Amino acid sequence: GRVGAVGSVQKINEPVWASDNTLTLIVNESLVDFNFMEFLLTTMNLANYATKTAQPLLTQTILRKLEIDLPPLSEQHKIAAILSSVDEAIEKTETIIEQTEKVKKGLMQQLLTKGIGHTKFKKTEIGEMPEDWVLSTIGDHLIEHRGGASLTPNDFTDYGVKVIPKKGVTSLGVLKIEEHEQTFVSEEYAQKNINSVVDKNYVIAVLRDLVPSGPNIGLIVRITDNEKYILAQGVYGLRVKDSILPEFLVYLSNSKSFREQMRRKMVGSTQVHIRNSEYFNTLIPLPGIEEQKRIVDILSVFDKRIESEIAKLSTLKIIKQGLMQSLLTGKVRVKVDDEVVSL
């Protein structure tokens, strides 16, 4: 799947060894801007030029015969500078997201084990917690749970009621399904399987994972819109009592103690799963409702920052894609005597 992938070693200040499956290209910088060439090759989808064999191969002979249209070198420099400025903004945003998630993870671990302002603690089978917290199970706080429908390929439609697949439940804490991956069933099918239909009054848990290590198994997310959904198999809708905030339960599902319990409880090899009864018996540390609210308020500040930066990152990638399509094909020309636009 990596045939035709393009990369640069320009910023690496040490020798780099190329494997026998790698072609090394040295750019004549008196004719071509180095960064312009990297951007151009990236847009060309070089995998399309590989040999159509059991093991596709992209050879030096094939590359040498490829024709490319180049603007004057001065224009190449400017185009490369524009695209590089977007790349820098993308890298900076990715760094902010990574750093914010790291801080949130550390703070979450602290708040979900030590709470806020406690001085007395007790030892439990899932670790130390404040003395006035209660050790309970997920099942203690459930009003109702709903399982997924037995969907077959013929049940899917082009529009209708949205389906929540396993991949929609991740550590993000909110239901996230890419638009191009969203599937639907008919209203009629949803009515016939009404016990698998959920809305924002439910939190969503995934009890199956296609990855053997089970990174998402047991995670819980919230639905943040007003739509109704139907659950796929392996996905569950949980309606909780007033004794626990749904947002607090979401954070707990991402905690170190909870993840360790999931790893111990899951069974299977290629597709791991957790039995309902085992999941509902998962132990959770629980403060009073007011402290839950305070903890949720603190952590949600980080969530909002991460969400904002993820949206910004998505926009930057769309901008870069549009600029590459315009500038590297000649659809839009740049004036060399203008200043480079800084994004």
Side-chain angles (χ1 to χ4, degrees):
R2 296 290 295 164
V3 174
V6 178
S8 166
V9 296
Q10 189 182 51
K11 296 177 182 178
I12 302 176
N13 298 318
E14 57 183 69
V16 176
W17 296 98
S19 72
D20 56 0
N21 292 323
T22 305
L23 285 175
T24 304
L25 308 179
I26 300 175
V27 176
N28 182 345
E29 295 193 61
S30 64
L31 299 174
V32 185
D33 180 279
F34 184 95
N35 291 324
F36 179 91
M37 179 59 78
E38 184 182 355
F39 287 125
L40 182 62
L41 291 175
T42 301
T43 64
M44 290 177 66
N45 198 2
L46 296 177
N48 290 336
Y49 301 97
T51 58
K52 309 300 181 185
T53 56
Q55 188 172 8
L57 185 65
L58 189 65
T59 66
Q60 193 173 109
T61 302
I62 293 172
L63 281 179
R64 284 182 178 277
K65 291 181 179 179
L66 292 182
E67 294 183 356
I68 55 175
D69 294 319
L70 294 175
L73 186 59
S74 57
E75 188 174 348
Q76 292 179 43
H77 291 327
K78 188 160 187 179
I79 291 171
I82 293 171
L83 293 174
S84 293
S85 70
V86 183
D87 267 349
E88 288 172 8
I90 288 173
E91 289 176 13
K92 181 180 178 181
T93 305
E94 288 174 336
T95 299
I96 291 171
I97 292 171
E98 184 181 342
Q99 291 175 341
T100 308
E101 286 179 335
K102 186 176 180 180
V103 172
K104 176 197 163 186
K105 187 176 180 180
L107 185 58
M108 186 169 68
Q109 176 65 17
Q110 175 73 16
L111 291 172
L112 296 179
T113 56
K114 305 296 182 185
I116 301 173
H118 294 276
T119 56
K120 294 183 179 181
F121 300 89
K122 61 185 177 184
K123 291 184 178 180
T124 73
E125 54 192 287
I126 60 169
E128 196 175 70
M129 69 175 64
E131 200 172 64
D132 62 347
W133 285 22
V134 177
L135 188 62
S136 59
T137 68
I138 290 178
D140 291 335
H141 306 281
L142 288 187
I143 296 172
E144 176 198 2
H145 74 275
R146 295 188 167 191
S150 300
L151 290 161
T152 67
N154 292 332
D155 294 323
F156 293 103
T157 55
D158 293 332
Y159 58 89
V161 178
K162 293 180 178 180
V163 177
I164 299 180
K166 290 185 281 293
K167 67 172 65 176
V169 181
T170 69
S171 60
L172 290 174
V174 294
L175 181 64
K176 180 73 173 176
I177 308 170
E178 296 297 333
E179 190 174 345
H180 68 279
E181 294 181 334
Q182 181 66 71
T183 54
F184 304 85
V185 297
S186 67
E187 284 281 354
E188 182 183 9
Y189 182 90
Q191 282 301 314
K192 287 180 179 178
N193 295 270
I194 195 67
N195 289 333
S196 294
V197 174
V198 296
D199 56 23
K200 66 180 181 181
N201 293 310
Y202 295 79
V203 291
I204 310 302
V206 61
L207 301 191
R208 291 186 190 176
D209 201 323
L210 299 176
V211 182
S213 60
N216 290 352
I217 201 162
L219 287 176
I220 299 173
V221 298
R222 293 179 298 113
I223 295 174
T224 55
D225 57 38
N226 293 315
E227 294 194 50
K228 68 177 180 180
Y229 293 83
I230 189 165
L231 303 162
Q233 283 191 306
V235 186
Y236 286 76
L238 313 177
R239 196 152 62 93
V240 298
K241 300 175 183 176
D242 293 339
S243 53
I244 190 168
L245 293 177
E247 297 88 349
F248 188 79
L249 185 55
V250 168
Y251 289 127
L252 280 175
S253 76
N254 283 276
S255 68
K256 183 179 178 182
S257 167
F258 197 98
R259 303 312 307 151
E260 287 174 351
Q261 289 188 77
M262 293 300 97
R263 283 189 284 272
R264 290 196 299 268
K265 290 172 181 285
M266 66 186 189
V267 294
S269 52
T270 54
Q271 183 179 148
V272 293
H273 66 277
I274 293 180
R275 296 182 181 90
N276 294 8
S277 57
E278 285 291 314
Y279 188 69
F280 298 148
N281 283 327
T282 301
L283 294 169
I284 54 175
L286 197 68
I289 201 72
E290 288 304 317
E291 189 171 359
Q292 288 181 44
K293 288 178 181 176
R294 291 167 66 194
I295 291 172
V296 165
D297 286 345
I298 292 169
L299 294 175
S300 64
V301 171
F302 291 87
D303 282 338
K304 288 173 184 175
R305 176 73 188 278
I306 292 168
E307 186 180 338
S308 172
E309 293 297 329
I310 288 175
K312 178 181 176 182
L313 180 62
S314 178
T315 300
L316 286 169
K317 287 181 177 180
I318 291 170
I319 290 172
K320 179 186 174 184
Q321 188 67 29
L323 286 172
M324 290 177 75
Q325 290 296 324
S326 299
L327 300 179
L328 297 175
T329 60
K331 290 179 181 177
V332 174
R333 303 296 299 271
V334 297
K335 295 180 181 179
V336 177
D337 53 359
D338 284 347
E339 288 187 2
V340 172
V341 178
S342 179
L343 300 177

